[in-house]
């Protein structure tokens, strides 16, 4: 938006007061819009996934782990998301450094588009200084919806998203579709998408000790990892496939149309 004067002149600031439906893809913006505009007209329409595109065979998983230099018995954490201060991969490196002194068989994979050159430089410096540098992989971005993308998820044992800000978190849906348990910061859309001790674990944003505790829990409780993934995948198949999202959108259109027929 161009500012108050231009907004007043063109009427853009009153636009949302006259429309029949407002669609929000982020849960935080949905809550704010609902409070400002009323529950009847505001709808939460999340992102979706094609779950089958993230399913790999065990042979593909093990081949990717071998390529990355990890053994079958290693426990590998990973964050596949753009390299940016918003995602706070530096916090994940700090937590991994602490854990690796106690668990020598851990691995960490960081991969994503480079959207902030200065931040990537900080990540590279943190890796160079890490006592566990030999167990960390900082990879170039992979092309979405390719075997390399799918198999990179498959190679992980736990997906971790330490974001400082996150409107929704579609990568969480991708991780669940790939059968991976999820740790996510309790912030923005992640606070509602991930339910602590049900379909994943939360930690306090920016708090390294809170993150370490959640990572320790995933390492120590394989049964919880399995149960959380089963719960999450059922939710993905019910609510977050593109077929489901399309049906939700069609329902909203029908509600609006019914006012005029």
């Amino acid at each position: 938006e161009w500012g108050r004067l231009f907004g007043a002149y063109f009427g853009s600031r009153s636009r949302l007061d006259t429309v029949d439906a407002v669609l929000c893809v982020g849960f935080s913006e949905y809550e704010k819009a609902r409070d400002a505009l009323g529950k009847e007209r505001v709808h939460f329409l999340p992102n979706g996934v094609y779950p089958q595109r993230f399913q790999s065979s065990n042979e593909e998983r093990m081949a990717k782990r071998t390529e990355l230099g990890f053994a079958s018995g290693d426990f590998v954490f990973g964050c596949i998301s753009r390299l940016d201060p918003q995602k706070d991969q530096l916090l994940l490196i700090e937590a991994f450094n602490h854990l690796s002194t106690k668990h020598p068989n851990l691995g960490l994979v960081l991969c994503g588009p480079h959207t902030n050159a200065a931040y990537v430089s900080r990540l590279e410096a943190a890796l160079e200084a890490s006592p566990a540098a030999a167990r960390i992989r900082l990879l170039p971005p992979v092309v979405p919806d390719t075997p390399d993308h799918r198999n990179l998820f498959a190679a992980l044992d736990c997906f971790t998203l330490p974001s400082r800000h996150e409107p929704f978190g579609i990568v969480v849906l991708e991780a669940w579709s790939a059968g991976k348990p999820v740790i996510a910061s309790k912030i923005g859309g992640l606070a509602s998408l991930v339910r602590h001790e049900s379909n994943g674990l939360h930690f306090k944003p920016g708090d390294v000790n809170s993150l370490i505790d959640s990572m320790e829990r995933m390492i120590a409780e394989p049964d919880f990892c399995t149960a959380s993934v089963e719960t999450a995948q059922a939710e993905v198949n019910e609510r977050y496939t593109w077929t489901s999202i399309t049906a939700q959108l069609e329902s909203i259109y029908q509600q609006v149309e019914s006012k005029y027929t």
Side-chain angles (χ1 to χ4, degrees):
E1 226 257 298
W2 312 288
R4 293 184 181 275
L5 290 177
F6 284 105
Y9 180 79
F10 289 107
S12 58
R13 286 185 173 255
S14 61
R15 188 76 63 189
L16 295 181
D17 295 328
T18 61
V19 299
D20 291 296
V22 177
L23 308 181
C24 301
V25 296
F27 195 78
S28 296
E29 65 190 20
Y30 163 70
E31 291 182 313
K32 293 177 181 177
R34 185 183 57 185
D35 292 342
L37 302 171
K39 297 180 180 179
E40 296 77 16
R41 295 188 300 124
V42 180
H43 305 269
F44 176 51
L45 192 73
N47 279 303
V49 289
Y50 294 106
Q52 65 276 14
R53 294 186 180 180
F54 293 90
Q55 295 168 10
S56 298
S57 67
N58 187 60
E59 289 76 14
E60 290 173 314
R61 164 180 159 82
M62 296 313 300
K64 191 64 178 179
R65 286 172 72 94
T66 299
E67 178 186 325
L68 294 171
F70 296 123
S72 59
D74 292 342
F75 193 98
V76 181
F77 291 95
C79 181
I80 305 172
S81 188
R82 58 190 175 89
L83 305 185
D84 188 276
Q86 174 189 330
K87 306 300 182 180
D88 204 7
Q89 290 95 342
L90 281 171
L91 185 76
L92 185 51
I93 293 173
E94 183 180 356
F96 185 81
N97 287 341
H98 284 278
L99 284 169
S100 62
T101 61
K102 180 180 178 182
H103 303 282
N105 66 328
L106 295 185
L108 176 61
V109 174
L110 304 176
C111 177
H114 296 188
T115 56
N116 187 308
Y119 187 71
V120 173
S121 296
R122 291 175 62 194
L123 283 174
E124 291 171 340
L127 292 181
E128 187 175 347
S130 170
R135 306 290 297 174
I136 302 174
R137 309 289 181 264
L138 179 59
L139 307 178
V142 293
V143 178
D145 289 333
T146 61
D148 199 29
H149 186 215
R150 180 181 72 239
N151 293 335
L152 190 57
F153 273 107
L156 306 180
D157 293 292
C158 179
F159 183 82
T160 308
L161 189 61
S163 300
R164 299 266 183 166
H165 169 73
E166 197 69 58
F168 179 69
I170 192 171
V171 288
V172 169
L173 300 183
E174 295 173 346
W176 283 337
S177 297
K180 304 303 159 183
V182 167
I183 298 171
S185 52
K186 190 177 183 180
I187 197 167
L190 297 176
S192 56
L193 180 62
V194 178
R195 298 190 316 283
H196 187 61
E197 297 194 354
S198 175
N199 60 10
L201 292 178
H202 278 145
F203 73 95
K204 184 179 179 181
D207 187 326
V208 68
N209 292 320
S210 179
L211 176 55
I212 289 170
D213 288 344
S214 291
M215 293 171 75
E216 284 271 25
R217 175 90 180 270
M218 290 296 191
I219 297 169
E221 300 185 26
D223 289 344
F224 171 75
C225 292
T226 300
S228 70
V229 169
E230 290 175 352
T231 299
Q233 288 186 321
E235 293 176 9
V236 169
N237 290 328
E238 180 181 354
R239 300 179 56 192
Y240 296 110
T241 66
W242 280 118
T243 300
S244 174
I245 301 302
T246 301
Q248 293 177 51
L249 180 58
E250 184 177 1
S251 176
I252 294 169
Y253 286 161
Q254 289 173 343
Q255 290 176 43
V256 172
E257 184 184 30
S258 68
K259 299 178 182 180
Y260 300 98
T261 57

